[in-house]
């Protein structure tokens, strides 16, 4: 089955079997292995990508359902040369240890803070309930998110001006 | 696990979808947030998936004078963002805040939730409590069933093979109606161990009338609690009346025991949640 989508600004055409999830298609066919697959049944959030501006679990989406979509994966967050404020905040605050959950956490936070740059700490905690991390104990993740939030607010202000 | 193999269809009209659903063991695919997990567990292995995403108009929210009409493809996210729903049916929007996690809310739908019929899911509980009417279409034509008749058991509905939920109709409310929703889950966004949705109207002497109480999580399907309702109908809500209703509620549920909680715990939780809900609704 032919499926076309735009991923990280690049148009791709793939030919996934019907049963292939978007997560597996991104990893195996598009060769973007930054998206991680943990549980394969919607519980851990490691596979989170941004589809048409909204965070979604790519293990609970068929590749076929992404036909025509615009997708962002962790590889699309920054150019290789420079980290974004969100990534810098994670580096500074030890928001990751093994890094397995990190692509999903960053995609979730990027979608949230882009849509809601003034999200409260409670809202951020609530949203992160959909991402499991076995290493950090979550506190450094929340601290990183709160620090990065200011950059999304600046961006929203300059977009308005 | 990887999904079992199937044929994938994405029809652009409801008629086409109904025709495709005649394939033996075909299933509708809506948000996929329940169906794909159960397929990954091999609890379901449909021969074909009929994806509703390209059929126009199934994601509409319409508020008329008498009713709220939700298309089956309305997502949790759409309910959360809609301008008029919170004022028109506050019990619905409040309860929907408890459904699943951020990413799942961007795909999960109201129609999928009804058809999946998880006994702990919030929306089926609201549909039963609020006397929703479920519109269905299939090869044998259209029909309407009351939400109270839709659910047969855990993950089981009265939908016939190939039938598709096309719309959910919830009656509008009088402004002054009293209501509350309470649930308990172990983590934010998890399925509830138990939950209570209720509303009633007050008559001229501030007595509760038209009491509707629905329970989720503590029974094999979402259902009303007629014993507790009878204890409240025609009464002014005092501590004593509330205690009687809670005792009736505990006596009329038959909760399951599983790794998340024992039957006794869930039974007692039903009473506690009903008490909290009644205090909230009456204050
Ligand atoms: C980690 C996790 C946590 C969750 N927590 C909660 C929670 O707390 N509360 C809650 O309520 N839900 C929860 N859910 C479930 C979620 O809300 C689902 O989205 C919802 O139950 C099903 O909707 P869907 O659109 O994804 O349906 P799908 O998965 O696409 O379909 C589910 C079933 O309904 C059938 N179906 C779908 N649409 C129709 C239709 N129009 N007509 C006929 N049949 C149809 C399908 O064939 C399938 O059998 C959770 C899910 C996950 C993965
Ligand atoms: S791999 Fe998708 S949620 Fe765990
Ligand atoms: S950093 Fe290891 S799981 Fe989160």
């Amino acid at each position: 089955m032919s499926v076309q989508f735009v991923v990280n600004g690049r148009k791709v055409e793939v030919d996934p079997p019907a049963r292939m999830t978007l997560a597996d298609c991104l990893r195996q066919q598009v060769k973007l292995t930054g998206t991680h697959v943990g549980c394969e049944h919607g519980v851990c959030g490691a596979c989170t990508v941004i589809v048409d501006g909204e965070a979604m679990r790519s293990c609970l989406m068929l590749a076929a359902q992404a036909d025509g979509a615009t997708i962002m994966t962790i590889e699309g967050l920054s150019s290789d040369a420079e980290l974004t404020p969100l990534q810098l905040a994670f580096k500074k605050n030890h928001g990751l240890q093994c890094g397995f959950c990190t692509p999903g956490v960053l995609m979730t936070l990027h979608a949230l803070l882009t849509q809601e740059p003034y999200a409260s700490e409670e809202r951020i905690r609530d949203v992160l309930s959909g991402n499991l991390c076995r290493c950090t104990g979550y506190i450094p993740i929340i601290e990183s998110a709160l620090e990065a939030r200011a950059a999304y607010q600046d961006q929203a202000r300059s977009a308005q001006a | 696990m990887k999904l079992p193999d199937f044929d994938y269809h994405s029809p652009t009209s409801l008629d086409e979808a109904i025709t495709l659903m005649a394939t033996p063991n075909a299933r509708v695919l809506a948000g996929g947030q329940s169906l794909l997990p159960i397929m990954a567990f091999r609890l379901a292995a449909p021969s074909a998936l009929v994806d509703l995403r390209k059929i126009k108009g199934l994601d509409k929210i319409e508020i008329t004078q008498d009713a709220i009409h939700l298309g089956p493809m309305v997502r949790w996210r759409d309910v959360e963002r809609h301008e008029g729903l919170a004022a028109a049916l506050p019990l619905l929007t409040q309860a929907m805040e408890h459904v699943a996690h951020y990413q799942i809310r961007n795909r999960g739908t109201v129609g999928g939730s009804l058809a999946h019929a998880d006994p702990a899911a919030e929306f089926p509980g609201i549909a039963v409590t609020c006397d929703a009417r479920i519109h269905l279409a299939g090869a044998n034509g259209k029909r309407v069933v009351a939400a109270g008749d839709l659910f047969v058991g855990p993950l089981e509905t009265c939908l016939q093979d190939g039938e598709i939920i096309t719309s959910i109709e919830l009656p509008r409310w009088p402004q002054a109606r009293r209501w509350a929703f309470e649930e308990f889950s172990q983590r934010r966004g998890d399925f509830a161990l138990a939950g209570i949705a209720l509303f009633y109207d007050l008559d001229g002497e501030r007595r509760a009338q038209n009491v509707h109480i629905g329970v989720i999580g503590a029974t094999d399907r979402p259902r009303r609690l007629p014993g507790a309702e009878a204890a409240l109908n025609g009464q002014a809500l005092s501590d004593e009346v509330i205690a009687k209703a809670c005792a009736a509620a505990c006596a009329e549920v038959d909760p399951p025991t599983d790794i998340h909680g024992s039957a006794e715990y869930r039974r007692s939780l039903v009473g506690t949640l009903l008490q909290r809900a009644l205090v909230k609704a009456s204050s």
Side-chain angles (χ1 to χ4, degrees):
Chain A
M1 167 184 347
S2 162
V3 171
Q4 295 180 27
F5 46 72
V6 173
V7 57
N8 304 331
R10 181 161 64 96
K11 238 189 173 153
V12 296
E13 186 172 347
V14 285
D15 185 23
R19 67 194 279 237
M20 185 175 254
T21 63
L22 177 61
D24 285 343
C25 177
L26 288 169
R27 290 178 56 84
Q28 296 166 20
Q29 299 198 320
V30 192
K31 306 288 182 204
L32 291 172
T33 53
T35 300
H36 289 174
V37 176
C39 65
E40 292 193 312
H41 62 264
V43 172
C44 73
C47 65
T48 304
V49 298
I50 302 176
V51 181
D52 295 328
E54 299 189 308
M56 293 180 181
R57 286 171 166 14
S58 60
C59 74
L60 294 190
M61 236 183 118
L62 302 175
Q65 290 179 292
D67 192 34
T70 299
I71 300 169
M72 181 181 186
T73 69
I74 187 67
E75 288 91 342
L77 197 54
S78 66
S79 68
D80 281 343
E82 222 174 310
L83 298 181
T84 66
L86 183 64
Q87 291 168 317
L88 283 171
F90 268 72
K91 189 176 173 198
K92 180 178 150 210
N93 295 297
H94 302 288
L96 65 150
Q97 288 178 26
C98 79
F100 191 83
C101 69
T102 315
V105 170
L106 293 185
M107 284 293 97
T108 302
L109 286 171
H110 183 66
L112 173 70
L113 293 173
T114 302
Q115 282 179 4
E116 302 173 35
Y118 293 90
S120 65
E121 178 175 345
E122 197 195 336
R123 173 75 174 147
I124 291 171
R125 284 173 175 270
D126 184 16
V127 166
L128 282 173
S129 71
N131 292 79
L132 299 184
C133 174
R134 298 291 82 176
C135 301
T136 62
Y138 300 102
I139 305 291
I141 295 183
I142 312 251
E143 284 167 357
S144 308
L146 289 173
E147 185 169 320
R149 187 174 57 178
Y152 285 90
Q153 292 171 355
D154 287 347
Q155 236 167 43
R157 268 193 296 269
S158 56
Q160 260 169 11
Chain B
M1 264 198 288
K2 305 301 174 197
L3 304 174
D5 204 12
F6 52 83
D7 293 328
Y8 174 82
H9 306 283
S10 50
T12 52
S13 76
L14 196 59
D15 287 340
E16 208 186 323
I18 290 169
T19 309
L20 286 164
M21 283 299 291
T23 317
N25 199 19
R27 284 245 201 151
V28 171
L29 176 64
Q33 306 298 288
S34 294
L35 183 54
L36 298 186
I38 63 172
M39 285 171 66
F41 282 123
R42 296 296 194 279
L43 296 171
S47 62
L49 293 185
V50 180
D51 190 344
L52 302 184
R53 73 186 180 100
K54 287 188 187 156
I55 305 176
K56 287 205 173 64
L58 293 186
D59 58 352
K60 259 209 225 120
I61 299 178
E62 232 180 327
I63 305 180
T64 67
Q65 206 141 46
D66 312 313
I68 292 162
H69 301 268
L70 302 178
M73 293 295 275
V74 167
R75 303 169 304 162
W76 309 126
R77 194 54 188 273
D78 305 323
V79 170
E80 177 184 318
R81 283 185 189 157
H82 192 268
E83 299 272 329
L85 265 184
L89 197 57
L91 177 58
L92 171 73
T93 50
Q94 246 257 285
M96 291 316 101
E97 285 177 18
H98 294 267
V99 178
H101 308 282
Y102 186 65
Q103 302 92 338
I104 293 166
R105 296 172 63 83
N106 283 330
R107 291 193 71 75
T109 67
V110 294
S113 181
L114 289 183
H116 186 59
D118 190 300
E122 286 84 359
F123 185 66
I126 296 301
V128 167
T129 308
C130 296
D131 297 322
R133 285 155 46 86
I134 318 299
H135 296 251
L136 308 173
N140 297 327
K142 297 181 179 176
R143 62 181 181 128
V144 181
V145 298
D149 298 328
L150 182 72
F151 303 102
V152 179
L155 309 188
E156 212 183 318
T157 65
C158 71
L159 287 189
Q160 282 157 12
D161 282 348
E163 256 182 337
I164 299 175
I165 298 174
T166 54
S167 167
I168 298 125
E169 181 186 342
L170 296 141
R172 289 291 301 271
W173 278 20
Q175 275 294 328
R177 182 162 279 177
R178 301 296 184 119
W179 60 275
F181 180 81
E182 287 287 327
E183 76 165 46
F184 182 76
S185 61
Q186 279 166 329
R187 285 163 301 267
R188 185 88 189 142
D190 279 8
F191 278 105
L193 289 182
I196 291 282
L198 65 82
F199 70 81
Y200 57 85
D201 299 317
L202 285 179
D203 66 15
E205 275 143 72
R206 302 195 61 77
R207 288 177 307 214
Q209 301 291 356
N210 190 29
V211 180
H212 282 56
I213 305 176
V215 65
I216 58 169
T219 44
D220 67 343
R221 65 203 136 107
R223 66 170 179 92
R224 300 264 297 271
L225 294 174
E229 289 175 358
L232 294 166
N233 266 321
Q235 305 287 330
L237 260 58
S238 62
D239 289 351
E240 195 187 330
V241 168
I242 290 178
K244 262 193 202 147
C246 294
C250 293
E252 66 187 314
V253 292
D254 184 17
T257 289
D258 59 25
I259 53 166
H260 306 298
S262 65
E264 301 85 83
Y265 174 73
R266 281 199 163 93
R267 186 188 306 281
S268 138
L269 191 56
V270 166
T272 305
L273 293 173
L274 178 57
Q275 194 259 349
R276 283 184 197 161
L278 286 170
V279 168
K280 202 182 256 181
S282 60
S283 58

